[in-house]
Amino acid sequence: MAGTVIIPWYATGLRADAFERELEPIAAAALRYGATSYAIYRSRDDRYKFQQLARFEHHLQWDRYWAGPEMTRFRIEHSSWYQVPVVYGWWDRTAGGEILTETTRPAGNGLHGNGHAPNGGGGARDIVEG
């Protein structure tokens, strides 16, 4: 069953900016282990506080990512950059929604990979140029 893993990180003194730079590529590595999305959030109130999120279809994919060589190396090499313990959790989404605006629409030409516009049309007038 799909779920989102939330990993709370708390950077140690004067390392928050460097920690943020190092966290981005390791968070993106989750995609190689089957994650369908990932995100990193940094608190505006406490700049040392981070939340890493990754959505997986199967818990085993998460286990492989967390125990994989990239994440293991990250935790070892940066062990003094964050507070321990790191207590992650597997979360189920119970509600959600979003409003897409011109600035948040996905990049692309508006087609769905099949040459047809989102409304199901197929004529030239239905093609959206992006």
Side-chain angles (χ1 to χ4, degrees):
M1 174 187 242
T4 299
V5 178
I6 301 176
I7 310 166
W9 299 99
Y10 197 86
T12 54
L14 305 177
R15 292 195 171 123
D17 293 336
F19 185 74
E20 180 180 6
R21 286 190 300 273
E22 295 296 319
L23 189 56
E24 195 284 323
I26 196 64
L31 299 174
R32 292 195 302 270
Y33 288 85
T36 57
S37 66
Y38 77 92
I40 301 170
Y41 291 89
R42 187 173 183 180
S43 173
R44 289 187 179 182
D45 293 331
D46 183 345
R47 301 299 288 166
Y48 290 92
K49 190 175 189 176
F50 296 86
Q51 296 282 321
Q52 177 186 349
L53 290 78
R55 181 166 174 73
F56 291 92
E57 290 298 316
H58 305 283
H59 200 283
L60 182 59
Q61 295 169 315
W62 154 252
D63 291 335
R64 289 178 176 156
Y65 166 68
W66 187 251
E70 298 98 328
M71 182 54 91
T72 300
R73 187 175 320 108
F74 173 83
R75 292 194 317 267
I76 291 170
E77 290 177 1
H78 300 93
S79 62
S80 65
W81 290 28
Y82 59 89
Q83 291 183 1
V84 293
V86 176
V87 183
Y88 57 81
W90 183 268
W91 294 72
D92 292 325
R93 184 175 176 167
T94 59
E98 64 183 347
I99 296 174
L100 295 178
T101 64
E102 287 301 319
T103 59
T104 60
R105 290 191 193 280
N109 62 4
L111 303 178
H112 289 276
N114 60 5
H116 295 283
N119 66 2
R125 68 183 184 292
D126 296 319
I127 296 176
V128 178
E129 294 295 325

